[in-house]
């Protein structure tokens, strides 16, 4: 089945009788939603799965800020290339004339908000045409591209509870960097 996972959709009927619906959301994409949007996303899944539905979901855990900052500012600049690729796409898909070498990748862990914040910073005052409109960027102006929320196990369980799920089990890797949660609808 192909569907936009951020919008309501219907699952096809299960063969046989008495089966229950289960959802699987791997990786840590849930962290890209702001917390209230994550609750709305899970509440939508609760409606899709129906009574007795279950959910298996991956969640990136809170960890030492040095680990997070190093991961999002890796020496090979893989994350920077991924982030700056947005400007290449804007140039290609929106007939823009952004000079990519006049921008840089910026990422840092905001401990108070429990998230990594990712931006593209303009290195100089500049103008660019995007889809026929001129835009001005000030020197050091930040363009927000992504949040990546990190949760403790207890925080994510509480968030999922707001959407009608109750925890059944949770597993983490030996270093407690990542978690997989198994929930059941109440």
């Amino acid at each position: 089945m192909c569907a936009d996972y951020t919008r309501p959709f219907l699952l096809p009927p299960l063969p046989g009788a008495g089966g229950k619906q289960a959802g699987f959301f791997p990786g840590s994409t849930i962290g890209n939603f702001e917390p209230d949007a994550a609750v709305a996303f899970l509440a939508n899944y609760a409606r899709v799965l129906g009574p007795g539905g279950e959910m298996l979901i991956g969640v990136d855990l809170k960890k030492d800020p040095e680990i997070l900052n190093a991961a999002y500012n890796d020496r090979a600049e893989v994350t920077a290339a991924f982030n700056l690729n947005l400007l290449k796409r804007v140039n290609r898909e929106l007939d823009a004339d952004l000079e990519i070498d006049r921008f840089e990748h910026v990422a840092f862990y905001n401990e108070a908000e429990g998230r990594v914040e990712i931006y593209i910073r303009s290195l100089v005052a500049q103008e660019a045409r995007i889809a026929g409109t001129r835009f001005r960027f000030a020197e050091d102006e930040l363009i927000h591209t992504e949040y990546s929320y990190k949760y403790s196990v207890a925080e994510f369980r509480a968030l999922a509870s707001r959407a009608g799920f109750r925890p059944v089990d949770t597993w983490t890797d030996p270093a407690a960097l990542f978690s997989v949660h198994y929930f059941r609808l109440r």
Side-chain angles (χ1 to χ4, degrees):
M1 164 165 194
C2 181
D4 178 348
Y5 61 76
T6 65
R7 303 202 186 280
F9 59 90
L10 294 175
L11 291 173
L14 290 171
K20 62 182 164 184
Q21 305 277 19
F24 176 51
F25 200 63
S28 58
T29 303
I30 193 76
N32 296 128
F33 292 102
E34 293 197 40
D36 286 342
V39 171
F41 168 81
L42 291 171
N44 178 54
Y45 259 86
R47 286 186 294 278
V48 169
L49 297 172
E54 298 177 346
M55 186 83 179
L56 194 62
I57 186 164
V59 178
D60 202 12
L61 293 173
K62 287 185 173 177
K63 53 192 73 73
D64 185 324
E66 286 186 30
I67 293 172
L68 291 166
N69 287 321
Y72 286 84
N73 296 289
D74 57 289
R75 289 186 182 164
E77 297 186 356
V78 172
T79 307
F82 179 82
N83 195 22
L84 292 170
N85 186 56
L86 291 170
L87 299 180
K88 291 178 183 177
R89 289 193 62 201
V90 168
N91 279 346
R92 184 176 62 247
E93 297 173 24
L94 298 175
D95 190 33
D97 62 0
L98 293 159
E99 293 183 46
I100 296 162
D101 61 343
R102 299 176 118 203
F103 293 90
E104 71 177 352
H105 162 77
V106 175
F108 57 89
Y109 182 61
N110 179 334
E111 196 162 1
E113 296 293 332
R115 67 187 181 207
V116 174
E117 298 185 9
I118 304 173
Y119 301 90
I120 295 173
R121 179 185 0 237
S122 177
L123 296 171
V124 296
Q126 58 183 308
E127 282 189 20
R129 180 186 41 75
I130 302 171
T133 302
R134 300 293 302 167
F135 290 87
R136 288 186 176 88
F137 300 95
E139 182 177 357
D140 294 325
E141 183 174 348
L142 296 174
I143 302 166
H144 172 249
T145 58
E146 181 181 351
Y147 288 145
S148 185
Y149 282 85
K150 312 303 176 189
Y151 295 96
S152 70
V153 168
E155 286 171 334
F156 194 75
R157 285 179 168 187
L159 184 140
S161 176
R162 290 174 48 203
F165 288 94
R166 67 174 178 80
V168 175
D169 212 339
T170 302
W171 303 271
T172 67
D173 62 287
L177 301 174
F178 188 79
S179 60
V180 176
H181 296 260
Y182 177 42
F183 294 109
R184 186 171 292 131
L185 284 166
R186 288 185 232 156

